[in-house]
Amino acid sequence: MFEYAPAPESRSVVDIKPSYGLFIDGKFVDPTDGGSFKSINPASEEVLAEVAEGGAGDVDRAVRAARAAYEKVWGPMPGRDRAKYLFRIARIIQERSRELAVLESLDNGKPIKESRDVDLPLVAAHFFYYAGWADKLEHAGFGPNPRPLGVAAQVIPWNFPLLMLAWKIAPALAAGNTVVLKPAETTPLTALLFAEICQQADLPAGVVNIVTGAGETGRALVEHPGVDKVAFTGSTEVGRAIARAVAGTRKKLTLELGGKAANIVFDDAPIDQAVEGIVNGIFFNQGHVCCAGSRLLIQESVADRVLESLKRRMAQLRVGDPLDKNTDIGAINSAAQLARIRELSEAGSAEGAERWSPPCELPERGFWFAPTIFTGVTQAHRIAREEIFGPVLSVLTFRTPAEAVEKANNTPYGLSAGIWTDKGSRILWMADRLRAGVVWANTFNKFDPTSPFGGYKESGYGREGGRHGLEGYLNV
Amino acid sequence: MRRLPGMTATATSARSDLSELGRSETALRTFLHGLPGVDQVGAEQRAAQLGTRSIKTTAKAQAIDLAIRMVDLTTLEGADTPGKVRALAAKALRPDPADPSCPHVGAVCVYPAMVPHVAEVLRGSGVHLASVATAFPSGQAPLEVKLADTRAAVEAGADEIDMVINRGAFLAGRYKEVYDEIVATKEACGDAHLKVILETGELATYDNVRRASWLAMLAGGDFIKTSTGKVPVAATPPVTLVMLEAVRDFRAATGRQVGVKPAGGIRTTKDAIKYLVMVNETVGPDWLDPDWFRFGASSLLNDLLMQRTKLTTGVYAGPDYFTLD
Amino acid sequence: MSERVAVRKTYKLFIGGKFPRSESGRSYLVQDANVSLASRKDARDAVVAARAAVKGWAGATAYNRGQILYRAAEMLEGRREQFVALGVPGDEVDAAVDRWVWYAGWSDKLPQVYGGANPVAGPYFNLSSPEPTGVVAVVAPAAPALLGLVSVIAPAIVTGNTVVVAASPAAPLAAVTLAEVLATSDLPGGVVNILTGRLSETVPTLASHMDVNAIDLTGVADADLAADLEVKAAENLKRVLRPAPVDHDWFADPGITRMTALLETKTVWHPKGV
C-alpha cells in the first residue's frame, strides 16, 4: 500500500491577531455598540480571533465614510488612477497569496490545495481584470457616458470568502463606486486581511469599508437609506428578503442565490472525464458551492457503469486536515451547516433513497461529513429539490435528451448545468434548452473573471464577471 | 452508442469473452470506436491534479525504493557495445554500491544483439532482461523479419520483449493488421512477456491511445508501453493516465491484468513519484509492483539514488557520488 | 336620405390570440365604449396563454421575430387613422410606428451586441448569449396612450419574451386597437396578451403569480403601490423594472435597457481539445 504521509502547509505564514475591529474610513475602529463574536477554525473548533460585531450605528458610520469618499475622492478620480489602485491590490494579493490561502483554509475549512490553486489565483485575476475596465467604461457597451451608482452595500457568503469579496469589490471600484462590505460571520478573517491590503495599497480612506457581523448587521446595511446599490450572494431565502427590503427604493439590486444544478451524463460521454466532472461538481469545496452539480442525471444505459466508476473514484477522496496539501475534502464550514446537511441526508434515507459513502475516517473534533451519494432518487425527493450545500449527490436517471432537459429544468433554481456527451450537436441542443445561467459542457465548475456568472429564476438576477459584471455597478 | 460489454459489472459477475473480436476488421473497428471518448482537456487536468500530491518522508522513501525496483534500465543506442551493456547490467544489480539496502532495478533493456552480454551478468539475479524487437523503433520491416528478431532475442536470453506496433497501419485504420502482428509476435515470444509499444507520440490523440491500448490487450500483450524514446514526444502523465484507465477497464471486462510502462522523458524522482501517485489513485495497489508497472528510463535511476541518499543522510547529494553507466 | 347607421366596435380583451370578453362579464365605459373589466381569472388565463406561447416564440429565429415585428409596424401604419380617431395625435402614431420598426431591427442584433465570446484563461470555448426571461407582466403607462404602450411591449417581445399587458385604465381603446393590429401581424397567439380594466384587480395577481418571470412597473404611478408590487414580485424573484419617472420623454431614443432588463445571460463553456 502507498500511504501518503501528512504534508501540512505551514500556518506560521499568517499572523492572526487576537481581535479585529471594523474597517471604516481607512482605519480599524472599535464598534460603537461594542459587540463581538468569535471566528473559529471549523476543522478543530479552535477560536481563531475575536471579531467586532457591527451595529446599526457602525453601518451608518461606514456608509457615511463611503459616501464621503465617493463624493470627494473616488468618484472624481480619473479611471486610469482607479485602475492603478486596483492593479496595485491585485499585485499585493499575488505577493501575499500563500498567507491569504492559509488564512482562508483556517477560517473556512476548505482544503489548502483549493484555496491555493483555485480561490487565490481567481481573486487576483478578478482584480486584474476589472482594473483594466476602470478607464474604458465608455467602451463597455452601456452607452457613451456610464456613471457609477454611488455607495454599494455588499453582503457575501462563507463558501468562497475572499473570492466573493473580489467578485463584489473589484467591479464596484472599477466602475467608480465605493463599498461597504459585510463578510459572512463564520469567515470574516480574509476580508479583514484584505482591509490591511487596502491600507498597504494606499487606497484612499473610505473607498472600501468592511463591517463584520451576522444577519442583523447585513440587514442594517442593505436597508440603510444611504446606499445606492445592493449586491448579495447567499441563500434564496435571504435574497428574497433583501428584494422585499429594497422594494420601492432607488437601490439597484443584484442577487446571486442558490442552485440545484443538474449534471447530465449521456451514454456517449467521455466517461472518465465525466466522473472527474461529477466529483469536482459536487465535492469541490465540500459541496459548499451554489452552482454545485448536486443532481446527477445519468442516461439509464450507462447508469451502472458510471456509478461504479464514481464510487471507485470517491474512494480515492481524502477527507481531513484542510491544511494538508493532499486533502481533497476539508471541514464543513459550521456546526449549523453540518446540522442542515445531516438533516437533509436523513430525509433522503427516510424517503427511500439508497445512501452510500466510501469508507472514510473522519476527525473527532471539528465539523465533518463524508462524501455521500444517494441513488434511486426521484424528482419528488427533498434531496432532489432542496439545496443541501454539502458533499451530497442525488443520482437520478433518464432515457432521452428531452427527458433530461425536462428534469434538469424542473426546479425553481436556474444557476448552472452540466452536459457530458461526445456529440456536438446534442450539446448545443441541450444548452439551448437548459434554463441556467452557466452551462458547462464536458467540464464543470470552471470560473474566469471574463466569464459572466449568475442565475435564472430563483437563482437570482444580474451577472458577476466579465463585461456583464459592470452593468450592476453602473447607472445604465 | 458506446458499449463495453460486461463493464457494468463488479469484477466477477459478468466477464466478457472478447477473443472473437480479432477475427474481423469490422468487429475490431466497431469495438474500438465504441470505447468512450477521452476529453483532452479533462484528462490533462486530472493528470496535472494528481501531480500536485505532496509525497513526504516515509511515503517518499517507500516510493523511491519502489520506483527503483520498477526501472527498466535502458540503453538503446547504435553505439552500444558489450562493455557498455555489461556495465549497465552491473549497475542494475547494485544501483548504489555504497548501500547494500538499495534494491535492484526491474530489468535491463537493450537491443537484441546485446542480449547475450547482459544475460551473462544478470543470470539468476531476479533482474529481468528485456529486449526491444520487431525492427525497433520504426517497425518498418517485413513481418517475418520482425518475428525472427523476436525469436532471436528470446533465444539469446531475453525474458521480456518490447515490440512496436505498426503505427502506419493503426492510423490508416487497418486494426486487424496491427492485431495480427501482435498475436504473431506474442506467439514468437513463447514464455517471454510481451510489452507492446504504442508510440503514443505518433498516435496524436488520446482517443487513439485508448484504442491502441485495447487493441494491444485484446491481441494478448502482457504490458502496454508508451514510447520507443526515439520520437520527440515520449511518455507524458496524461497518456499514461489514459493507458492506466484502459488496463483497469480491461481487467474489469476480462479478468486479465495487463501492465503499463511509461518510457522516455521521465528523469527525476519527482516525476517518478507523480506516476506512482497516478497508479495508486487510478488502478490501485494491484499495479504498484514491478510486475505490473515499469519505468523505461536511464538517467532516472541516478536521480532516484540521489534522493534516496538525501532521505537517509539529510544532506543533498551530488552527481559525482553516483556511477554513470 | 337618412345617414348610415354605424357598426360599432366591441372592445374586448386579447388573450391567446383571441378576443374574449372578461370571464366576469363586466365592462366599464370609456370614451362612450364599453370596455371589458378584466378579473383576476382573466389575468390568470392570460399568464397561461403567455406561458404556452414562450416555447414557440423564444424558439423562433431572431430573423423571424424581426419579420413579424416589422409586419406589425406595417399594420400599425395602415391603421393610422383609426388611432387618430381615438384621439391619438398623428405624430404620436408616427413615432409609435417608427419605434416598432426600430425594435424590430434589434431582434438579430442584440445577441451580438449584448453577448459574445469571453477570453477565459484556459483551453475553453466560452460564449455568453442573451435569452428571454420568459413571461413578462407589463403595466403600460397612461400616456402617451399608443407610443407608451408600444414602447413597453416591443422591447419585451422582440427578444422572445411573451407579455401580459395591463393597459392603462384611462386609455384602453388604443390598447385594444393595437391588439387588433397584432392579431393581423402573424404574431403567434399568446405572445402579447392585453387586459383592460382596473390595475388593482389584475396587477397584484400578476405581481404575485409564480409563473411570471418579470414585471415591468413602468405605468404604476402610485409609489406605494409600486413598492407593494415589487414586494410581491420578490416571492419568486421576478426581474423588476421600476416605474418610469413622471417626466419621462417617450419620444427620446430609448436605448437598449428596456430589452436587456428582460434578458438572462447564459454562458456556455466547452473544452478545446483533439
Side-chain angles (χ1 to χ4, degrees), chain C residues 41-95:
Chain C
K41 283 186 182 170
D42 293 320
R44 176 201 64 189
D45 292 348
V47 172
V48 171
R51 175 59 65 197
V54 166
K55 193 175 176 203
W57 185 240
T61 64
Y63 176 72
N64 188 229
R65 283 199 305 271
Q67 291 274 302
I68 290 173
L69 260 71
Y70 184 79
R71 177 73 177 159
E74 288 178 351
M75 296 293 103
L76 188 55
E77 175 97 16
R79 295 198 184 217
R80 188 174 188 279
E81 294 318 313
Q82 256 186 54
F83 286 97
V84 171
L86 289 173
V88 180
D91 64 338
E92 186 192 328
V93 183
D94 296 343

Side-chain angles (χ1 to χ4, degrees), chain B residues 92-296:
Chain B
L93 294 175
R94 282 175 301 280
D96 185 354
D99 182 356
S101 74
C102 179
H104 62 65
V105 304
V108 174
C109 181
V110 294
Y111 273 118
M114 295 294 126
V115 169
H117 311 293
V118 177
E120 282 170 31
V121 184
L122 296 184
R123 192 161 293 130
S125 67
V127 176
H128 293 283
L129 204 177
S131 177
V132 296
T134 69
F136 181 95
S138 71
Q140 299 283 19
L143 180 60
E144 271 320 304
V145 175
K146 297 197 227 181
L147 295 178
D149 196 19
T150 305
R151 284 188 207 103
V154 174
E155 273 160 29
D159 62 350
E160 297 180 355
I161 294 297
D162 291 20
M163 74 169 286
V164 291
I165 66 162
N166 185 338
R167 282 89 75 191
F170 180 88
L171 289 171
R174 301 195 305 272
Y175 298 132
K176 180 135 177 21
E177 188 177 328
V178 182
Y179 178 92
D180 289 343
E181 261 190 44
I182 299 170
V183 170
T185 309
K186 170 75 182 163
E187 201 179 294
C189 281
D191 290 338
H193 270 179
L194 177 64
K195 304 197 197 98
V196 182
I197 303 173
L198 310 178
E199 197 66 303
T200 54
E202 291 184 343
L203 297 183
T205 68
Y206 297 120
D207 290 327
N208 276 344
V209 170
R210 174 166 288 176
R211 288 175 193 143
S213 299
W214 275 84
L215 186 59
M217 294 187 290
L218 289 168
D222 299 300
F223 253 77
I224 49 177
K225 173 176 168 182
T226 60
S227 321
T228 61
K230 303 294 182 190
V231 302
V233 183
T236 66
V239 153
T240 309
L241 175 66
V242 170
M243 290 167 63
L244 285 166
E245 289 163 356
V247 297
R248 178 197 68 198
D249 294 345
F250 185 79
R251 187 177 72 171
T254 65
R256 186 165 81 85
Q257 185 165 340
V258 173
V260 176
K261 176 178 171 185
I266 305 161
R267 295 189 180 87
T268 66
T269 302
K270 202 173 173 179
D271 287 343
I273 290 177
K274 286 181 184 178
Y275 279 96
L276 293 181
V277 165
M278 186 184 291
V279 173
N280 188 39
E281 300 201 24
T282 308
V283 289
D286 287 358
W287 268 266
L288 281 173
D289 185 285
D291 282 349
W292 302 109
F293 196 79
R294 295 278 182 84
F295 292 108

Side-chain angles (χ1 to χ4, degrees), chain C residues 168-182:
Chain C
S168 163
L173 301 190
V176 179
T177 307
L178 181 69
E180 291 158 14
V181 168
L182 299 178

Side-chain angles (χ1 to χ4, degrees), chain C residues 156-231:
Chain C
I157 64 171
V158 67
T159 56
N161 295 299
T162 65
V163 295
V164 177
V165 183
S168 163
L173 301 190
V176 179
T177 307
L178 181 69
E180 291 158 14
V181 168
L182 299 178
T184 52
S185 308
D186 300 331
L187 192 73
V191 173
V192 174
N193 305 275
I194 297 181
L195 303 172
T196 51
R198 297 186 198 108
L199 297 185
S200 59
E201 283 194 73
T202 54
V203 178
T205 302
L206 296 172
S208 56
H209 198 300
M210 295 298 274
D211 201 28
V212 171
N213 300 92
I215 186 161
D216 176 355
L217 301 174
T218 296
V220 181
D222 176 347
D224 290 337
L225 174 62
D228 176 59
L229 294 169
E230 194 175 339
V231 167

